[in-house]
Amino acid sequence: MPVFPTERSVRTTPEGLLWEPSERWVRGVKGEVTVVDSRQPVLVWEPEVPVPCYAFPREDVRTDLLNPAADPPTGEHRGARIFYDLRSGPEQVANAAWTYPGADLAGHIAFEWFRRWGSGLDHWYEEEEEIFVHPRDPHKRVDALPSSRHVQVEIAGTVVADTHRPVLLFETGLPTRYYLPREDVRLDLFEPTDRRTGCPYKGTAEYWTWQGGGEVPRNILWSYAEPLPAVAAVKGLLAFYNEAVDLTVDGVRLERPVTLFSKTLRP
């Protein structure tokens, strides 16, 4: 069967990596120096890592800024062959880049993304839009849909939210999140915290912690004050971790899902 240019073609390496060519123009900047400028990047998915990274043709990378890593890590980036330290001006970033083994990705260099693991370059751009945390997965979809479902939220037996005006956020690979108007949430039972997280699909979230006692995880409630345009419908609304509260939707109590966040939710 012929493969047309508009069809996606995810490929597998003998080492168990998935990769796919991208048509996006991607640039990575450290300080005022453009370290990566590529119109032929590839997306790489490592086993058991839920988000992709980019790898770039060597000729699109400022390899003069890279030196073999002085202290390469072990057990990171499935089968990584060579790690590099990045020096830009007076600053050096350890293990900022690496190469993958095998012929499929030979000649490509991958980079850590700032705010993903706390290292890497300062800014990344796809076309003219800055992208945070990690590259967006072209096979992932995020939809925020206003609804009239009846949603109730309980924590430790206390009803903390009750609304008929939720916005349901459907995100590939995650449970449906229910974003609720502030006036329908007992926000007086929560205390704001200094926690902030970033998402390349939604923006930067702020958090609140339950003040009612019991074995309830911290930062259980969040909101996007200025969400990205694709999910503008959730602006200023509040959402709870389904994994740690009791949700009832249209009279049906939902089971608490087990997700990649479950292990990080701690009292």
Side-chain angles (χ1 to χ4, degrees):
M1 178 181 295
V3 177
F4 298 98
T6 56
E7 291 185 345
R8 299 198 187 282
S9 180
V10 178
R11 307 161 193 186
T12 305
T13 74
E15 297 76 25
L17 302 169
L18 300 178
W19 68 278
E20 178 181 67
S22 173
E23 296 183 355
R24 302 188 183 198
W25 175 26
V26 179
R27 293 164 336 274
V29 178
K30 182 66 177 176
E32 297 182 358
V33 177
T34 298
V35 179
V36 176
D37 189 333
S38 180
R39 289 170 170 80
Q40 295 181 309
V42 296
L43 284 161
V44 181
W45 289 264
E46 299 177 10
E48 300 181 4
V49 178
V51 298
C53 66
Y54 273 121
F56 306 95
R58 183 175 289 270
E59 57 268 24
D60 295 341
V61 174
R62 285 284 305 272
T63 54
D64 58 304
L65 303 176
L66 300 178
N67 295 304
D71 186 20
T74 58
E76 292 188 24
H77 304 298
R78 177 71 170 266
R81 188 164 59 91
I82 301 175
F83 280 89
Y84 296 97
D85 295 338
L86 168 69
R87 179 171 293 280
S88 180
E91 185 175 358
Q92 178 162 304
V93 181
N95 302 308
W98 66 92
T99 60
Y100 287 111
D104 288 4
L105 296 173
H108 287 73
I109 299 176
F111 281 82
E112 293 287 16
W113 279 52
F114 177 66
R115 289 171 59 184
R116 178 182 173 191
W117 304 119
S119 64
L121 305 190
D122 295 337
H123 302 280
W124 287 96
Y125 301 89
E126 292 179 348
E127 302 300 331
E128 299 302 328
E129 182 175 352
E130 186 169 7
I131 306 299
F132 301 97
V133 188
H134 61 78
R136 293 171 179 167
D137 189 329
H139 302 284
K140 188 180 184 76
R141 185 180 178 96
V142 181
D143 295 302
L145 304 180
S147 177
S148 59
R149 289 176 181 252
H150 184 200
V151 178
Q152 290 181 306
V153 183
E154 292 182 35
I155 297 178
T158 300
V159 176
V160 298
D162 191 326
T163 189
H164 288 271
R165 302 177 298 155
V167 171
L168 275 57
L169 191 135
F170 301 93
E171 183 171 354
T172 305
L174 290 174
T176 303
R177 301 299 190 190
Y178 298 87
Y179 283 77
L180 315 176
R182 291 190 179 218
E183 54 268 35
D184 295 340
V185 177
R186 289 286 309 278
L187 200 53
D188 59 300
L189 300 176
F190 298 84
E191 181 180 39
T193 73
D194 59 2
R195 178 174 171 78
R196 299 292 184 272
T197 60
C199 171
Y201 307 101
K202 298 185 289 292
T204 300
E206 55 186 351
Y207 288 79
W208 288 260
T209 284
W210 167 247
Q211 294 295 291
E215 296 294 313
V216 179
R218 290 184 52 78
N219 300 302
I220 200 171
L221 176 64
W222 75 87
S223 179
Y224 290 94
E226 297 294 336
L228 296 176
V231 293
V234 305
K235 181 175 181 176
L237 304 184
L238 298 162
F240 294 85
Y241 279 108
N242 309 36
E243 297 88 338
V245 301
D246 293 315
L247 269 166
T248 300
V249 179
D250 292 336
V252 177
R253 177 68 61 89
L254 305 185
E255 292 186 9
R256 294 187 182 184
V258 177
T259 72
L260 55 90
F261 297 105
S262 299
K263 294 181 180 180
T264 66
L265 293 169
R266 296 288 184 269

